[in-house]
Amino acid sequence: MSKVQHHPQDHQFYIEDHGEIIAEMTYSVSSETLYIIDHTYVDDKYRGQGLAEDLMSNVADYARRHQIKLFGLCPFAKRQLETKSEYADVKY
């Protein structure tokens, strides 16, 4: 299983296993300083392993480095941004 990777052209953070995407978080660019997380997916076989949390953490780290705020449209990202204090600095 690979570590989290980012494809800025596809607006996607993802994790692969043997060349297959097993988890992803996608976003829309609302502005240079606001990204909207619109989808989170983890393959059924890999659920419960913290992959969605790994994706969220990587998206937040990227946002911090680039002075971007995040808005959670998908239920997972919305819940993470609203309930986890470690994301307060990147929450829109």
Side-chain angles (χ1 to χ4, degrees), residues 56 60 64 68-70 80-92:
M56 187 72 216
R64 286 183 191 103
I68 296 166
K69 294 292 184 183
L70 301 172
Q80 292 288 302
L81 289 165
E82 290 178 354
T83 63
K84 304 278 183 167
S85 60
E86 62 262 36
Y87 301 133
D89 62 324
V90 294
K91 179 183 172 193
Y92 175 77

Side-chain angles (χ1 to χ4, degrees), residues 2-5 24 49 55 66 75:
S2 70
K3 62 182 181 184
V4 175
Q5 299 178 62
E24 71 174 345
Q49 298 180 30
L55 290 167
H66 296 89

Side-chain angles (χ1 to χ4, degrees), residues 9-63:
Q9 331 62 308
D10 295 333
H11 302 163
Q12 173 192 49
F13 284 80
Y14 64 96
I15 301 170
E16 289 182 331
D17 190 21
H18 297 93
E20 179 183 340
I21 292 177
I22 58 166
E24 71 174 345
M25 184 171 278
T26 62
Y27 59 91
S28 301
V29 177
S30 179
S31 72
E32 288 183 13
T33 59
L34 176 62
Y35 285 8
I36 299 169
I37 302 171
D38 52 26
H39 177 72
T40 303
Y41 164 80
V42 177
D43 185 285
D44 289 340
K45 296 182 290 189
Y46 296 88
R47 293 198 176 176
Q49 298 180 30
L51 299 182
E53 289 83 359
D54 289 347
L55 290 167
M56 187 72 216
S57 177
N58 276 267
V59 171
D61 288 345
Y62 178 86

